[in-house]
Amino acid sequence: MNAPGDPGRPAHQPFERTPLEEAGPDGGEDGDGHDEAEQDVQGRDGRFLGVQEPGLRARTLAIIAAALALVTPQLAFALNSLLTEPVRQSVNAYDPLHRLSDVGVLDLLFTGFYPTITWISFVIAGMALARLDLSATAVQWRLAALGAALTVAAYGMSLLLAGKGALRSLAEDGPSSGGSGSMPPEGGSFEPQASMLLTAGPHSGTTFDIIGSVGVAILMIVGATVAMDRLPRLRRLATPVIAVGTMSLTAYVGHFVAQSALSIPTGKSSQQSWMPLLMFVLGAILFAAIWSRFFRRGPLEYLLNAATRPAKHIR
């Protein structure tokens, strides 16, 4: 079912019912039919940014994501260089979010662990993938080639330019980001260096990091799609994990809430961190498996859907 005026969406509808949805109540708790559920999946990524679903094609979104990946890390670096400690303190003094949670607008946009200015590239890239028919073999082959090319090109170029330490995580040394946001070590400050723009370590927020991460993500998505299509038994075994995927926002926020409620320390060694990790993984799978038997969306997904629903009336 093609959306009116959307030449970019293929005739074959990629949004099919999963065994999880077939096992659950038809239409979910709010009584919506399956057609409305499909339209919600197709339009949710667009409404997230206040954009109508028929507006942008996959190719256009991919170009936008690529442009953002090339430009925003350098822009973020320049802005972070201007955001000296006195400037940050002045802004935070008038920031109500910073007063409530110690994480303010500057953290969300520029200096936090997931700064919007650079991570928006991942959002746009995900929207582009959502407009493709991932069940089509030709699309799978093209995406696999694209993902491999992006991964090799980004990480390979970074290694050539920055040396063998290019893929090292900066979080191990304290700061979490160099090309984009840069969360300073506790009780200190962090001065970004231009050489960090050549690295591709986790959370470095550089162009190489973004492009390489998108490439890896594409390969993982294509691999999982092919495995689920060709191995029905594996799909049945993976149903609990699929349930977590349908409420990823709830699972992600939930593990932070559980960590704070249970006062679980964030151990730096693998011996300290394995047990909390296993607890979070098993807890998320158990919760999602039970919740999905009765509801179509996760708790926070319901709230997000309700919050973005008015955007579909914007013309």
Side-chain angles (χ1 to χ4, degrees):
M1 182 172 62
N2 288 0
D6 185 8
R9 186 176 296 286
H12 175 71
Q13 176 56 256
F15 301 99
E16 301 176 352
R17 290 181 68 89
T18 65
L20 187 65
E21 294 170 328
E22 292 172 353
D26 187 15
E29 183 189 44
D30 52 9
D32 296 337
H34 178 56
D35 289 341
E36 182 176 339
E38 285 186 348
Q39 294 170 4
D40 175 68
V41 171
Q42 297 170 17
R44 185 167 47 201
D45 53 355
R47 293 203 305 271
F48 176 74
L49 298 178
V51 180
Q52 289 301 302
E53 191 274 335
L56 299 176
R57 303 172 60 180
R59 183 186 299 272
T60 303
L61 289 168
I63 293 174
I64 293 174
L68 289 173
L70 292 173
V71 174
T72 55
Q74 284 62 244
L75 178 60
F77 172 81
L79 291 174
N80 275 298
S81 299
L82 297 175
L83 289 173
T84 60
E85 191 62 28
V87 173
R88 298 187 190 195
Q89 291 179 358
S90 300
V91 174
N92 291 336
Y94 295 95
D95 185 356
L97 285 179
H98 190 271
R99 294 180 182 180
L100 289 174
S101 62
D102 204 34
V103 176
V105 174
L106 286 180
D107 298 297
L108 295 175
L109 296 180
F110 306 116
T111 64
F113 208 71
Y114 301 101
T116 304
I117 189 173
T118 48
W119 284 72
I120 192 65
S121 303
F122 295 108
V123 176
I124 305 300
M127 291 170 62
L129 285 177
R131 279 158 169 72
L132 299 176
D133 181 6
L134 298 181
S135 64
T137 302
V139 174
Q140 292 172 353
W141 277 107
R142 291 170 186 167
L143 285 178
L146 175 62
L150 292 177
T151 302
V152 173
Y155 293 135
M157 186 67 69
S158 179
L159 285 170
L160 288 175
L161 295 175
K164 60 181 181 180
L167 306 185
R168 177 178 173 82
S169 173
L170 297 179
E172 299 175 8
D173 302 323
S176 64
S177 180
S180 58
S182 54
M183 187 173 294
E186 188 173 345
S189 60
F190 172 65
E191 194 70 27
Q193 299 177 359
S195 60
M196 292 181 177
L197 293 171
L198 302 178
T199 65
H203 287 283
S204 60
T206 65
T207 294
F208 298 111
D209 173 36
I210 295 172
I211 294 177
S213 297
V214 169
V216 172
I218 291 175
L219 290 175
M220 294 297 296
I221 291 172
V222 172
T225 302
V226 172
M228 293 298 102
D229 287 344
R230 300 188 179 183
L231 301 172
R233 181 172 298 180
L234 176 62
R235 186 185 185 98
R236 288 192 294 269
L237 292 175
T239 297
V241 180
I242 295 175
V244 178
T246 64
M247 55 188 79
S248 54
L249 179 61
T250 296
Y252 189 77
V253 174
H255 95 274
F256 282 111
V257 174
Q259 184 176 357
S260 299
L262 299 176
S263 300
I264 298 176
T266 53
K268 294 183 179 180
S269 67
S270 58
Q271 290 82 2
Q272 290 176 310
S273 60
W274 270 116
M275 187 55 64
L277 173 63
L278 292 176
M279 290 173 56
F280 290 139
V281 170
L282 294 177
I285 292 177
L286 180 61
F287 173 83
I290 296 175
W291 182 276
S292 63
R293 299 296 298 177
F294 304 97
F295 304 100
R296 185 158 55 92
R297 300 186 185 95
L300 293 185
E301 283 71 18
Y302 268 107
L303 294 177
L304 181 62
N305 178 71
T308 58
R309 186 168 288 178
K312 68 181 178 181
H313 301 294
I314 299 176
R315 294 292 183 267

